[in-house]
Amino acid sequence: MAGITYSVLDLATVVAGKTPVDTFRLSLELAQHAEALGYKRFWLAEHHNMISVASSATSVLIGYIAGGTKTIRVGSGGIMLPNHSPLVIAEQFGTLESLYPGRIDLGLGRAPGTDQVTAMAIRGSRFNAAHDFPEDVAQLQTYFSDDNVSSQVRAIPGEGLDIPIWILGSSTDSARLAAAKGLPYAFASHFAPAQFLTAINIYRQNFKPSEFLDKPYVISCVNVVAADTDAEANRLVTSLLQFFMGVVTGKRRLLQPPVDSMEDIWTAQEAEAVGQMLGCSFIGSPDTIREDLQSFMDQTKVDELMVTSHIYDHQARLHSYELFADVVKKVNVPVLD
């Protein structure tokens, strides 16, 4: 039996009544809190043109969080590589690793992290760059390699630095790429649980050991809303339900305060669609979450849990992470054969 590694995914969520300025300060406070509680990583996700998500300049925000913490690893969950030149990302993360050595992770995704119109504004003539994702990942690895020293194009800083690369996914495509390249794999099960088990099985079955990793390593990102009682957690989670409803309907708002009932807020169809996104969510008191989490770990045997918590009240969010850190230490998972 082995203990579970646990980490944080933060979207720099802007809550109703606050601004991105407030959000960045609270994200740093959360990172410091997570560091004290033993969370291993604090990742930020690249999104664009979303009123409630302020992590669009992901590399800049990673530097801010890393500068305000001491030991926790800070990284991207992820950088949407087709939005960028691999050279620019190599230089940005080479700079981060130079400033905060041994603490920077680079998670890479192929989705745009936004709607199609905004993706066109970001990518321009490279709109179909997602098709080049495997080649772009390989190019990024080349820029980080010592072997690139004689190339005409070099990443300075970046070249020769040990910056772990992770492949992110919400479908089976990226699972195959991560397996083929022998890289760790992080799945977005917090909003796309439908293909989670299939994807991690494909990854594990096809994994090829590499200079970076000798055996498969899976992170599952999960929603957690923990509170002292089930009733309080079920009330707090209504902020997440409203957030997902905005995703489903395309009518996004700042993160809304919790409500006593969702009955008058969503339709039956919206409730069903949101429910399909909650397959990897842990909501309730410590006892409830411990039971559900043990079942999840027994089934999936993932190597690491990455927690995201859309909770309106900041103190309640900090308390949720504290409760989860205590719970996860009491849950074991059999080591994968």
Side-chain angles (χ1 to χ4, degrees):
M1 305 294 284
I4 304 167
T5 300
Y6 51 104
S7 297
V8 176
L9 175 68
D10 184 33
L11 302 186
T13 306
V14 186
V15 304
K18 301 291 185 180
T19 68
V21 174
D22 303 311
T23 298
F24 299 147
R25 176 179 56 81
L26 296 178
S27 287
L28 178 56
E29 186 175 331
L30 173 60
Q32 293 167 338
H33 187 63
E35 182 175 70
L37 291 170
Y39 286 83
K40 185 171 184 177
R41 312 174 202 279
F42 191 94
W43 281 6
L44 295 140
E46 178 185 349
H47 291 285
H48 301 278
N49 196 29
M50 296 182 184
I51 188 173
S52 60
V53 179
S55 53
S56 54
T58 317
S59 299
V60 176
L61 197 51
I62 288 171
Y64 171 67
I65 297 298
T69 52
K70 297 178 180 179
T71 58
I72 196 168
R73 297 191 65 89
V74 188
S76 59
I79 289 290
M80 301 297 105
L81 189 56
N83 292 350
H84 311 275
S85 155
L87 176 61
V88 170
I89 294 303
E91 292 170 337
Q92 290 179 358
F93 277 77
T95 300
L96 289 166
E97 175 64 21
S98 299
L99 290 168
Y100 311 105
R103 295 182 54 211
I104 300 300
D105 293 329
L106 175 52
L108 300 172
R110 75 175 77 206
T114 187
D115 59 86
Q116 294 299 302
V117 174
T118 307
M120 178 65 78
I122 294 170
R123 297 179 179 179
S125 61
R126 297 183 70 251
F127 183 74
N128 294 315
H131 298 303
D132 301 326
F133 183 62
E135 292 77 15
D136 285 348
V137 172
Q139 183 64 69
L140 189 52
Q141 290 177 307
T142 297
Y143 286 134
F144 286 143
S145 170
D146 285 321
D147 297 336
N148 201 52
V149 65
S150 60
S151 174
Q152 285 187 308
V153 180
R154 300 168 63 189
I156 308 296
E159 187 178 289
L161 296 182
D162 181 17
I163 304 172
I165 289 178
W166 298 70
I167 300 298
L168 277 59
S170 56
S171 68
T172 57
D173 291 343
S174 293
R176 297 184 187 278
L177 177 63
K181 297 186 75 65
L183 293 173
Y185 182 51
F187 195 87
S189 38
H190 61 301
F191 72 85
Q195 296 191 62
F196 170 55
L197 292 177
T198 301
I200 63 173
N201 285 334
I202 288 173
Y203 169 67
R204 287 167 170 163
Q205 291 166 7
N206 294 278
F207 181 85
K208 296 180 179 179
S210 68
E211 62 181 295
F212 310 107
L213 201 61
D214 61 354
K215 61 181 181 179
Y217 192 98
V218 174
I219 286 180
S220 172
C221 189
V222 298
N223 300 296
V224 173
V225 177
D228 293 328
T229 66
D230 287 344
E232 178 60 15
N234 287 329
R235 183 175 186 276
L236 291 175
V237 80
T238 58
S239 295
L240 172 63
L241 301 182
Q242 293 175 80
F243 178 85
F244 277 167
M245 188 179 74
V247 174
V248 168
T249 63
K251 300 176 182 178
R252 299 179 183 272
R253 297 188 295 168
L254 299 178
L255 188 68
Q256 296 298 300
V259 294
D260 292 330
S261 171
M262 290 289 295
E263 185 175 345
D264 296 328
I265 295 177
W266 60 11
T267 66
Q269 292 79 8
E270 290 165 352
E272 182 178 358
V274 169
Q276 293 175 359
M277 302 172 73
L278 296 172
C280 295
S281 301
F282 302 92
I283 302 155
S285 66
D287 287 342
T288 297
I289 288 179
R290 181 165 58 248
E291 182 178 349
D292 293 343
L293 186 59
Q294 185 66 67
S295 176
F296 177 83
M297 297 302 297
D298 289 342
Q299 180 185 21
T300 66
K301 300 179 179 63
V302 296
D303 301 281
E304 186 170 337
L305 293 166
M306 184 161 278
V307 175
T308 185
S309 298
H310 286 81
I311 298 175
Y312 177 82
D313 179 78
H314 183 60
Q315 293 305 314
R317 182 167 65 146
L318 295 180
H319 188 49
S320 177
Y321 278 100
E322 184 175 352
L323 291 175
F324 186 80
D326 184 58
V327 166
V328 78
K329 295 169 186 174
K330 301 173 183 177
V331 174
N332 287 311
V333 58
V335 177
L336 189 70
D337 292 337

